[in-house]
């Protein structure tokens, strides 16, 4: 039996509905608990909405990379360019049934290459909720380092989710791009 090889491509407007299902399923609710990267213990409500995703796809300074197996969406990552030379990695999502198979690593590598080669970024940056120690450690194994900077979590904006605790804050991680 042949092994199915994931394919990678840039999202289009036609992908918004499937992309929304993937992101919500990877971050929120009981389906997300099947994987290790969820935020379901920290946040209720939505992770994003279709309009935000459509806006990301339409923005010339952003790309959403998708990975599929046999036409089924199994992962995504967002890349945003912040002049003069910073790429921002966000919304890394892998279907919980496909986690621990290297999909996240592949998406991160593709996002870094895109930021460097398309946008001219020399540094890739991301934010992670401070309470997500396992996820921070995962990114550190991929070469990211805590910068010491923190950023406020939008606690009172339900479009980012409904916090189960008021002490959420983002930590900033960064990695030089060769």
């Amino acid at each position: 039996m042949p092994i199915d090889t994931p394919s990678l491509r840039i999202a289009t407007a036609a992908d918004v509905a499937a992309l929304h299902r993937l992101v919500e399923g990877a971050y929120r609710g009981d389906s997300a608990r099947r994987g290790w990267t969820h935020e379901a213990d920290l946040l209720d409500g939505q992770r994003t909405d279709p309009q935000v995703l459509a806006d990301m796809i339409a923005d010339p300074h952003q790309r959403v990379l998708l990975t599929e197996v046999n036409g089924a969406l199994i992962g995504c990552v967002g890349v945003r360019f912040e002049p003069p030379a910073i790429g921002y990695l966000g919304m890394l999502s892998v279907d919980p049934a496909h986690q621990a198979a290297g999909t996240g690593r592949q998406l991160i590598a593709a996002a870094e290459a895109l930021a460097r080669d398309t946008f001219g970024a020399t540094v890739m940056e991301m934010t992670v909720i401070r309470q997500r120690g396992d996820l921070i450690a995962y990114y550190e194994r991929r070469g990211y380092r805590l910068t010491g900077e923190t950023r406020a979590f939008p606690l009172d904006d339900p479009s980012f989710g409904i916090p189960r605790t008021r002490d959420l804050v983002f930590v900033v991680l960064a990695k030089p791009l060769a």
Side-chain angles (χ1 to χ4, degrees), residues 53-87:
L53 296 170
D55 292 346
M56 288 174 68
I57 290 168
D59 184 338
H61 296 284
Q62 295 191 65
R63 300 289 187 281
V64 178
L65 295 173
L66 306 179
T67 189
E68 300 170 313
V69 173
N70 296 329
L73 181 60
I74 64 164
C76 71
V77 66
V79 179
R80 182 176 69 236
F81 179 60
E82 297 180 2
I86 296 175

Side-chain angles (χ1 to χ4, degrees), residues 111-167:
E112 291 168 354
L114 185 146
R116 182 188 59 242
D117 301 342
T118 300
F119 293 127
T122 58
V123 173
M124 186 68 99
E125 187 176 272
M126 70 176 70
T127 56
V128 177
I129 297 171
R130 177 180 52 206
Q131 288 86 343
R132 307 279 319 278
D134 289 346
L135 188 57
I136 292 167
Y138 171 82
Y139 287 123
E140 288 176 324
R141 291 190 301 273
R142 310 269 133 4
Y144 287 83
R145 297 293 171 250
L146 289 164
T147 66
E149 179 184 355
T150 60
R151 296 184 186 158
F153 186 90
L155 293 169
D156 298 315
D157 185 347
S159 68
F160 289 92
I162 302 165
R164 291 178 169 226
T165 178
R166 300 290 297 174
D167 65 344

